[in-house]
Amino acid sequence: MSIVTGHKSIAFAKNKISVAISIALLPFMFGTSMAANAAEPVAHKEVTEASKETKKVEAEKVEAEKVEAEKAQSTLEDETEVIVVTGFRSSASQQRFNKRNSDNISDSIFAEDMGKMPDENIAEAMQRITGVGIDRVDGEGSTVTIRGIDPSLNVITLNGQVMTNGGDDNAIDLSTMSADMLKSIEVIKSPSADHDEGSLGGSILLKTSRPLQAKKRKISASVQLQSDELADEQDVLAKLGFIDNFDNTFGVAFSLFYDEKSTRQDYFNSTQWNVFDLTSAQSAQTGKDLGSIKSYEPKQFDLGIKFKERVRVGGGVTFEYLPDDVSSLVLDMSFTRKTDDSISHQTRVQGVRTDAIYDEVSGSAVVASANANGNELSRQKEVETDTTTISLAYDREFGDWLFTTKLGYSLTEATDVLNRRITWKPAKTDVTTDWLGENGGFHDIPTIQWHTESGWFDPAQLELNSFFDDDRDVKDELVSISFDLEHDLDFGPLTAIKFGAKYFERSKDTADTQGKIKYSDISDGEKVYLADHSLDFPVDDYFDGIVDNVIPGFDVPNMDEIYDTYLPEGHEPIVDPNNTHLIDTEAAAAYVKLNYAWFDDRLLGDFGVRAVNTKISAEGHGGINYPDEILSAPIYEENDYTNILPSFNGRFIINEEMVLRFSAAQVMARPTFTEVRPGFVFQATSNVLRGNRGNPKLDAYEANQFDISWEWYYGETGMVSVAAFYKDITSFIYKTTTELSQKEVFGDQFGPGPCPEYLDTIPEGADPDAAELCRRVTDVPVRGSSNGSNGTVEGIELSYQQDFTFLPGFLSDFGIVTNYTYTDSEAPYSTEEEGSDVYFDGFPFLNTSKDTFNSTLYWEKNGHSLRLAYNYRSPRLTNAVQLESSQWTDSRESLDFSGNIALTKQIKLTFAATNLTNESNRMFVTRTIGKQGEYSDGTAWNLPGEGNALTSDAPDWRTASYQHNGRTYRIGISAKF
């Protein structure tokens, strides 16, 4: 057997065996030997070779389909040469080649050139992969779902090392690094026993270039100007790549990048939807006077604008060394720093619930007026996120055994460099809100009309209230060690055995501080109003061309001037122990895997089992955050659980063009850090009563999954695949909301604290201030997590790709890559004991769209290329339990265009435009928990739950969030030498 790295083979006895994916030392995406004929003909004999019967097949490969092999050789000489030569057509060819020769059901995407992925953003590149959907933050791709499974439940590795993150959960923010660092992205959907556990939907493998696969030194460089049409700023993107194979025993590859992006977001929010009283209402259907009625309404409306400057800088380096003919050593290191610097302003109106026109179909007011409270909120925030990933891998042959070991280290540190905000005391103003549009329809954003001369709240009435300066630091650190042993077998159908173990420790440390100063506490009694330090609204095209019923803007505060004038020395925020915690995770895994080949090597695959034990310790505080006091007590909890994960993969070679794959496996994903955080936290800092609790005793998510895939590889570039998948979620974690009091949670641990001795009820005649404090910790809705079962995810995936070389004339230079995924799911979000399970019947998994469609049409000739990429994603559930509501994300489609013009053999002009159709992101709410009761006159009222918005006729006009970021354009020069 042999390992081939670049142009140097390491000889082993008998047959070739594959190195563990977790080591990521050889390009698994090719699945076969990378010897001189790395792009051997894709036919039955290739796939046989991929079964690790290399010696047996080697002679046949030389003679088989020689003409096709020679043609493939020109474009697929080795991985690096593919990237350098043929652009997106090469990327599509490698995607096809990798899918065909993979041991598992998988899909992938490859760099078009060294330092050039099809998209600048990793998440946006991944949305072209079958079964993948993306979520955006501030208009930029951030996290991804796989087959409808939430981003927190899928593991992402960089060169085999599990990545960490700076957020509250397990999801990796892919916008922290540049896609151009990578050579390939692969999604493994059917695991083998030697794959890392932790993914319920699929594992994402990010890989950089291997220097010993380069035939010669290569240098690439590019500079681009980027412009966001709303922000109206010009930003710079610069990249440098280098790879050199010095003597076929030592090589170096590195990449560097600097990427700045300015964005602007125009937004609207309506929040805290619940059942409120309409003091006077008229029927929208009949015009009848309904008097005072119950209605499903938001507590408040916001209109705002946000500016953000994102700077991303970093790079990666790989050293690869072959000490002798039987061993190899690879060191991968990467570092990225992402800085988000933003400022936002929003105007808010609350309690618009009189003189209403009431829609009796939806149970909500479509028009309402009130002398309402309102104010403005402004925030400046700068967050710095550093991510480091290091892995050291060593392979060595000991006789007939291949030994692999790996050390890995990941670290993410996210720090609030600045997080300050200003609030103003509410001012009363007559306001009308109107959802009604033309022809009986609804506006995406309601018309909000302030009945004032300025058209919004009078800045001379908004009095300065408080300064806030909150900080948050997150440190996520992971250390791992693994080893694998592999040996070829000649025992009946068994062709190889592989076993190994892995151990890791992960520590997630979150520290919060809260800083609040009332202006009245530092002033001499003089009142300050917004009008004293106001600026004009920063733009004159607010929501221009998107919605035509919003105000043109509002006065905003000069935050720097206000802080410099009234708080020049700043203030020291205090630690918030109730939101400071440390969660340690230890996991030890061991596995055994056997490869097999039956029926003259037409049936190939593997089966095995992986056992993993996980231990969690959670240390923190629980308590109550009052307006002027924090009560807390230390909490320490532990948990451990063991998962046994069998797996089976098979592929049957139907003929020289068709492959049938099938797999079965048990998979698991660990609870998110938010779900296992220790203790209860009651927030009694405002009139909004809420509580949160973690649950370190949670068991892991578990699922039994089954996959089948038929693939047809025809001609030189054609591919059609049809896949079906089914996941039975046997252990699921869902959100619960329970009404609890301080005494029920904390007993007498804190005594009465600021609250008087009565903790469960408030007697008549109680002191109003004390009563209000008590009210804030009595019957508090506390949100937490519990284990459940009986969830399912099922669907189909369709893929098609082909170069149109069979067409006449210029049409022969076109090609297409397209895919469609249908996903149907059902998840539990409540139990019979809670009594609300009926309202969540048929609810889907979070972030699961029923329909996802991607299509890329490309043209390439003589070094020039054009690419048009379309993406569609249907509506999905975003938040199942939000008070008594559920929040859904509306459908979204996008159209992107990119291309390059070859000015010389080494230099290209590059250009791109994203979101050509100028799409926005919209979310809407539905009433989930039904409410019933009687009015004072004994008349019954009923507002039923509206069910699953994806399958019912629930109204979808109640916009909860509307965000518009506009188009982005890039133009630049790239060179390679």
Side-chain angles (χ1 to χ4, degrees), residues 25 38 67 71 76 82 102 170 213 256 340 376 400 404 442 475 619 637 650 662 666 694 697 735 758 800 925 964 967:
L25 296 179
V67 174
K71 183 166 183 177
L76 293 171
V82 172
S102 174
N170 301 4
Q213 291 162 4
L256 300 172
D340 291 317
E376 287 193 25
D400 292 343
T404 303
F442 297 92
K475 181 180 180 180
E619 180 180 356
E637 296 183 84
F662 40 90
Q666 189 170 73
K697 299 295 185 181
K735 304 297 181 185
Y758 42 86
Y800 164 68
V925 296
H964 182 66
R967 305 177 181 91

Side-chain angles (χ1 to χ4, degrees), residues 528-690:
V528 174
Y529 295 91
L530 174 59
D532 300 328
H533 300 279
S534 66
L535 299 171
D536 292 336
F537 197 67
V539 301
D540 59 4
D541 58 348
Y542 187 54
F543 275 116
D544 189 32
I546 306 302
V547 291
D548 57 5
N549 61 318
V550 298
I551 59 176
F554 46 90
D555 287 356
V556 300
N558 186 332
M559 292 190 68
D560 290 336
E561 182 178 278
I562 293 172
Y563 269 89
D564 291 344
T565 302
Y566 305 106
L567 205 65
E569 303 300 324
H571 64 287
E572 206 49 48
I574 61 172
V575 174
D576 176 11
N578 294 336
N579 286 295
T580 297
H581 47 267
L582 173 65
I583 301 171
D584 289 326
T585 305
E586 296 181 37
Y591 74 90
V592 60
K593 185 183 81 167
L594 290 163
N595 292 354
Y596 64 85
W598 279 338
F599 304 112
D600 296 327
D601 294 341
R602 295 184 67 190
L603 177 61
L604 311 165
D606 64 73
F607 62 92
V609 64
R610 187 179 186 91
V612 57
N613 175 257
T614 304
K615 296 180 180 179
I616 293 176
S617 62
E619 180 180 356
H621 291 76
I624 307 172
N625 287 8
Y626 285 103
D628 300 307
E629 184 176 2
I630 296 177
L631 301 180
S632 66
I635 294 174
Y636 179 82
E637 296 183 84
E638 293 182 338
N639 188 27
D640 72 271
Y641 48 85
T642 299
N643 301 93
I644 307 299
L645 309 172
S647 61
F648 170 84
N649 288 279
R651 51 194 170 116
F652 181 72
I653 314 304
I654 300 173
N655 55 39
E656 292 188 350
E657 293 184 336
M658 297 182 186
V659 180
L660 181 68
R661 299 180 187 269
F662 40 90
S663 72
Q666 189 170 73
V667 295
M668 62 84 75
R670 295 179 179 87
T672 69
F673 291 104
T674 302
E675 291 167 338
V676 298
R677 59 162 292 172
F680 287 78
V681 179
F682 276 20
Q683 296 289 351
T685 54
S686 68
N687 291 329
V688 180
L689 315 179
R690 65 188 188 277

Side-chain angles (χ1 to χ4, degrees), residues 714 718-721 798-802 804 806 816-819:
Y714 59 93
M719 190 274 290
V720 173
S721 71
L798 308 176
S799 299
Y800 164 68
Q801 73 176 70
Q802 186 166 16
F804 297 150
F806 57 90
I816 192 169
V817 176
T818 187
N819 60 69

Side-chain angles (χ1 to χ4, degrees), residues 103-215:
D103 294 328
N104 306 83
I105 295 177
S106 68
D107 287 287
S108 54
I109 192 165
F110 288 79
E112 300 177 24
D113 207 335
M114 188 171 75
K116 190 181 188 307
M117 267 287 175
D119 294 271
E120 299 282 344
N121 178 283
I122 294 176
E124 289 168 14
M126 288 189 64
Q127 74 177 337
R128 319 298 178 196
I129 295 176
T130 310
V132 173
I134 75 169
D135 297 309
R136 290 176 168 84
V137 175
D138 297 325
E140 187 171 29
S142 176
T143 58
V144 299
T145 61
I146 302 175
R147 289 178 165 177
I149 300 299
D150 190 80
S152 292
L153 306 181
N154 300 311
V155 169
I156 300 180
T157 63
L158 176 60
N159 293 322
Q161 175 61 22
V162 174
M163 297 181 67
T164 49
N165 73 85
D168 292 328
D169 55 21
N170 301 4
I172 302 298
D173 179 6
L174 294 171
S175 69
T176 59
M177 58 189 297
S178 170
D180 294 322
M181 290 177 61
L182 306 176
K183 183 178 65 177
S184 69
I185 305 170
E186 185 172 17
V187 178
I188 304 293
K189 301 174 183 178
S190 66
S192 296
D194 57 343
H195 293 167
D196 284 347
E197 76 286 340
S199 294
L200 211 63
S203 297
I204 300 172
L205 314 181
L206 310 179
K207 301 178 184 179
T208 58
S209 295
R210 287 289 173 258
L212 291 185
Q213 291 162 4
K215 286 186 174 181

Side-chain angles (χ1 to χ4, degrees), residues 43 76 95 292 413 466 487 491 522 576 669 754 778 843 875 892 959:
L76 293 171
Q95 175 181 324
S292 177
E413 294 180 291
S466 298
H487 190 284
F491 185 75
I522 60 174
D576 176 11
T778 303
F843 265 48
R892 189 183 193 276
T959 300

